[in-house]
Amino acid sequence: MSLSRRSIALVGSVLLMACTAESNAPHAPAAGGSTLFHAGMVGALLAGVYDGQFEIEAVRKHGDFGLGGFHALDGEMVVLDGHVYQVTSDGKVHGVPDAAKTPFAAVTFFRPEQRIAWSSTQGRTPAFEAFLERERLAPQRLYAIKITGRFKRLLARSVAAQTPPYRPLPEVIAASQKTFPFENVEGTMVGFRLPQHVNGVNLPGYHFHFLDRARTAGGHVLEYEIDQADVEMQLLHGYTVELPEGAAFYEVDLARDRRNDIRAIE
Ligand SMILES: [Zn+2]
């Protein structure tokens, strides 16, 4: 009896040490697992609020993995392994200084808990996503997903910097998005599968940004077909939203249902 009590006490102290070490690590995830941090809201972006309100340095403090956009809608953001990349409308990839600004970004500390391999013999994209929904992901939960490997086909896009007065995002996408078709490309899709209840804050469903293996090309993913890839997933235990100070954010209707707008930009 006393032996087992001692064992329990020992286990308890080991766990405590592990927690302490974790919380002292730089940029440690919050206790209880990673959450999804939002700088701004997709609803404002859809309405045309493109001025950068959050410095990249501040966003990086909340995650090493994610996606977003840049001041004036100048390209697509990919955050991978703690590096922030900008895919501009010419399809090229650039490093981003910490002082650059974003109107919207969503990041987390990526610590995958589930891994699967997927190959084209198992099915195309609808079958892949249906498998995840059926076997791996709970409908109401939030997940970070990283897909690394070879893609038979992938269609990415980016958008050029806009000038005020800004038009709503669906209009900008329809008028001026640039698309980049890839075939048999190796690289990484970085993104999330989010439930309907995040509507307004982020995009429900699957949302990926892509970087090729050399990190020289990429963009927001419009279509993809996995050839052979490792799929890593992490359950996120909640989300936070930081609201900007800029007045433009509060002048648009943040309560409006923009699901039709979301369909138009995907
Ligand atoms: Zn995107």
Side-chain angles (χ1 to χ4, degrees):
M1 189 68 188
S2 65
L3 182 64
S4 72
R5 269 195 194 148
R6 206 174 302 140
S7 303
I8 290 164
L10 184 62
V11 168
S13 67
V14 168
L15 282 176
L16 187 63
M17 282 163 59
C19 291
T20 307
E22 185 76 3
S23 62
N24 287 340
H27 309 326
S34 288
T35 55
L36 181 56
F37 171 81
H38 297 89
M41 288 169 54
V42 149
L45 201 67
L46 287 164
V49 182
Y50 304 145
D51 281 341
Q53 295 281 332
F54 305 91
E55 288 197 352
I56 296 304
E57 183 177 22
V59 172
R60 288 176 61 232
K61 288 191 173 126
H62 294 275
D64 56 13
F65 177 96
L67 46 74
F70 291 96
H71 173 72
L73 212 61
D74 185 12
E76 305 280 354
M77 180 193 295
V78 192
V79 184
L80 179 59
D81 300 328
H83 299 282
V84 180
Y85 301 92
Q86 178 183 22
V87 185
T88 43
S89 62
D90 56 4
K92 295 196 171 131
V93 178
H94 312 266
V96 179
D98 271 347
K101 288 189 171 178
T102 174
F104 175 78
V107 295
T108 190
F109 289 98
F110 190 62
R111 306 291 180 264
E113 301 149 333
Q114 299 194 62
R115 286 185 176 80
I116 62 161
W118 189 267
S119 82
S120 54
T121 58
Q122 291 164 270
R124 297 164 70 94
T125 304
F128 167 65
E129 293 182 358
F131 170 82
L132 295 187
E133 295 302 319
R134 194 175 62 243
E135 305 286 341
R136 300 289 172 153
L137 310 180
Q140 305 269 37
R141 300 278 218 157
L142 296 82
Y143 296 89
I145 303 180
K146 179 181 175 186
I147 305 178
T148 309
R150 175 178 287 275
F151 299 84
K152 280 188 163 185
R153 188 177 71 72
L154 191 146
L155 183 64
R157 73 112 188 280
S158 186
V159 185
Q162 304 295 300
T163 48
Y166 297 131
R167 292 170 296 164
L169 189 56
E171 283 181 34
V172 173
I173 297 289
S176 66
Q177 78 170 349
K178 298 283 184 292
T179 57
F180 317 115
F182 296 90
E183 281 185 16
N184 295 317
V185 64
E186 285 187 38
T188 302
M189 294 209 313
V190 169
F192 303 98
R193 195 289 250 140
L194 302 178
Q196 289 298 322
H197 63 72
V198 305
N199 190 32
V201 172
N202 203 326
L203 300 175
Y206 292 86
H207 182 196
F208 294 108
H209 287 189
F210 176 70
L211 273 184
D212 74 346
R213 195 175 166 193
R215 302 191 179 182
T216 55
H220 166 103
V221 176
L222 295 169
E223 298 168 20
Y224 69 97
E225 202 70 57
I226 293 172
D227 183 4
Q228 189 85 44
D230 294 321
V231 182
E232 298 171 279
M233 292 163 282
Q234 176 185 19
L235 172 66
L236 303 174
H237 295 269
Y239 62 85
T240 59
V241 184
E242 189 159 319
L243 299 176
E245 295 305 318
F249 185 90
Y250 300 97
E251 285 162 5
V252 296
D253 181 1
L254 295 169
R256 193 174 122 191
D257 187 339
R258 298 183 188 273
R259 272 178 281 197
N260 287 335
D261 293 349
I262 290 171
R263 276 190 282 276
I265 66 160
E266 288 178 328

